[in-house]
Amino acid sequence: MYDQLQAIEDRYEELGELLSDPAVVSDTKRFMTLSKEEASTRETVSVYRRYKEVVKGIAETEELLGENLDADMAEMAKEELSDLKKEKEILEERIKILLLPKDPNDDKNIIMEIRGAAGGDEAALFAGDLFEMYQRYADAQGWKVEVMDANVTGIGGYKEVIMMITGENVFSKLKYESGAHRVQRVPSTESQGRIHTSTATVVVLPEAEEVEIDLADKDIRTDIYHASGAGGQHVNKTASAVRLTHIPTGIVVAMQDERSQLKNREKAMKVLRARVYDQLQTEAQSEYDANRKSAVGTGDRSERIRTYNFPQNRVTDHRIGLTIQKLDQILAGKLDEVVDALILYDQTSKLAELQNG
């Protein structure tokens, strides 16, 4: 483990030199690649350097205790030794987590798809609540949100909304959101005051670059048609809506939010590329996932992952048994407590798998 850490620190120092080299600075693509690599190892190097300081401190304090110290000095040295040993244990656990194999998609932007599922109008309204929750969380993280397509219902909810979220480590924080989200509340449309249960589904896809997945033109069928439904005056006047079908996988993406056919096609291609990339990844990892013991999971999108109970102001994540009495804050975008718990649980599970062979 320590050979690996030393190699990471050596590479980090090498990257620091490369990033100050004028030849690298002038090559934007290489500079960006190396900057990302440096940023991804920064925390590991910082923790490792502190670990080395602590180990050195322990050795020096033990040496000091071997000398003839007066009672007060000896007591102080013993306290310091105890503190350093505790910190060493904490750092060792942190290092193990930092050395876990990284998900190659963690630093990617995402395409998030939210749909009202069981529950009619109430499900569509809940899909709108989730959409706003993720928007607020993204704002708090300093990320950018772009709505790519939206199918709004008459009472203000969403049958479907697709958005792109761009920023630092978006996928690493939101990848656990895929699945069925359930709401229990008295609908505003319900006169009897009875609690209803409705669901909305969330799909989180890592953005796929063209270099990662090349979709051949011959494999894509394009249909152009008139937009329909809510969408302003241009609806039905120009054939601007675009439907792309990826023939090998049968994946279909339709986009009609923009007035321009070109912009709709551009957005549809982004979503299509992400969906095909996701499907190919899922197929490639299906055997691995079947053998994985991790209970968090990011694969089964029909899995009911979370319940939002309004009467009791309660949110429960069923995968990790987490219950929080702060539903109002969660819906206001304060998702850190849930996200951090899911990340920690997944990391701990992976660490246990690794140690158990």
Side-chain angles (χ1 to χ4, degrees):
M1 184 167 88
Y2 301 107
D3 290 345
Q4 190 181 349
L5 286 164
Q6 192 55 53
I8 291 169
E9 186 183 25
D10 293 345
R11 175 62 178 162
Y12 182 78
E13 286 172 358
E14 184 190 352
L15 287 166
E17 289 171 19
L18 285 167
L19 289 168
S20 58
D21 182 338
V24 174
V25 175
S26 61
D27 183 344
T28 311
K29 197 173 178 183
R30 191 173 177 215
F31 183 79
M32 290 289 287
T33 304
L34 294 176
S35 296
K36 268 189 175 182
E37 188 185 343
E38 190 214 32
S40 72
T41 55
R42 195 176 297 145
E43 188 185 358
T44 307
V45 170
S46 169
V47 173
Y48 176 52
R49 283 175 176 170
R50 177 59 192 156
Y51 178 80
K52 286 195 288 186
E53 285 172 12
V54 168
V55 169
K56 187 182 175 189
I58 288 171
E60 287 172 354
T61 311
E62 283 176 338
E63 196 179 321
L64 192 65
L65 279 166
E67 296 172 10
N68 292 323
L69 300 174
D70 63 49
D72 286 347
M73 280 292 287
E75 191 57 39
M76 280 173 64
K78 280 176 187 173
E79 274 185 38
E80 188 178 343
L81 184 62
S82 173
D83 290 344
L84 286 168
K85 283 183 173 178
K86 281 176 192 168
E87 188 180 355
K88 180 174 176 267
E89 281 180 26
I90 292 165
L91 289 169
E92 280 173 345
E93 287 308 306
R94 206 161 151 213
I95 284 167
K96 285 175 191 172
I97 295 286
L98 287 166
L99 289 180
L100 282 172
K102 295 270 191 301
D103 183 331
N105 293 319
D106 271 353
D107 62 350
K108 287 182 185 285
N109 301 321
I110 66 161
I111 288 168
M112 178 180 273
E113 305 177 4
I114 306 171
R115 294 179 181 84
D121 285 343
E122 172 60 11
L125 286 170
F126 179 50
D129 291 338
L130 291 176
F131 168 60
E132 287 174 14
M133 176 182 81
Y134 292 123
Q135 264 193 320
R136 288 166 182 155
Y137 178 66
D139 288 344
Q141 299 294 314
W143 298 336
K144 183 187 165 201
V145 176
E146 179 196 357
V147 176
M148 303 182 79
D149 200 35
N151 186 342
V152 186
T153 63
I155 59 167
Y158 289 93
K159 282 184 184 172
E160 176 186 56
V161 58
I162 299 174
M163 59 179 163
M164 184 155 192
I165 305 178
T166 54
E168 199 174 324
N169 299 320
V170 183
F171 186 77
S172 73
K173 292 191 174 180
L174 289 179
K175 62 183 174 182
Y176 306 110
E177 296 303 301
S178 285
H181 295 241
R182 181 174 71 167
V183 64
Q184 294 173 326
R185 65 181 171 191
V186 178
S188 53
T189 52
E190 172 62 58
S191 57
Q192 302 299 315
R194 291 175 299 184
I195 294 171
H196 282 228
T197 299
S198 307
T199 55
T201 60
V202 175
V203 174
V204 176
L205 306 171
E207 183 191 14
E209 304 289 339
E210 284 184 55
V211 291
E212 292 173 304
I213 180 153
D214 181 26
L215 300 182
D217 289 342
K218 66 179 177 62
D219 289 338
I220 299 170
R221 189 176 74 239
T222 304
D223 297 307
I224 309 297
Y225 57 100
H226 288 269
S228 61
Q233 293 178 3
H234 74 289
V235 169
N236 291 323
K237 289 192 177 177
T238 54
S240 59
V242 174
R243 185 189 299 110
L244 300 181
T245 305
H246 185 243
I247 298 161
T249 59
I251 292 171
V252 180
V253 176
M255 204 64 69
Q256 63 170 39
D257 216 44
E258 299 284 349
R259 291 168 184 251
S260 151
Q261 185 189 120
L262 191 68
K263 283 185 178 175
N264 279 327
R265 181 182 167 78
E266 202 177 287
K267 285 184 172 183
M269 272 303 292
K270 275 189 179 179
V271 176
L272 184 68
R273 198 177 290 117
R275 286 187 188 170
V276 173
Y277 176 74
D278 180 67
Q279 181 163 316
L280 295 175
Q281 273 205 318
T282 304
E283 286 170 2
Q285 290 199 2
S286 59
E287 191 179 330
Y288 169 71
D289 289 338
N291 296 326
R292 234 179 116 199
K293 306 289 188 293
S294 174
V296 177
T298 53
D300 184 5
R301 292 191 183 127
S302 62
E303 177 190 6
R304 191 190 74 208
I305 64 165
R306 198 173 296 146
T307 295
Y308 304 73
N309 184 297
F310 274 71
Q312 294 172 22
N313 195 37
R314 185 181 71 219
V315 174
T316 302
D317 194 290
H318 304 289
R319 297 163 294 179
I320 60 173
L322 175 73
T323 295
I324 303 174
Q325 305 286 150
K326 298 175 187 172
L327 179 122
D328 50 342
Q329 291 181 39
I330 299 285
L331 288 178
K334 294 176 180 173
L335 275 170
D336 285 323
E337 196 173 338
V338 179
V339 169
D340 291 347
L342 286 161
I343 290 171
L344 181 64
Y345 188 89
D346 195 29
Q347 287 175 338
T348 310
S349 301
K350 284 175 180 170
L351 194 59
E353 271 183 57
L354 215 59
Q355 288 169 343
N356 295 334

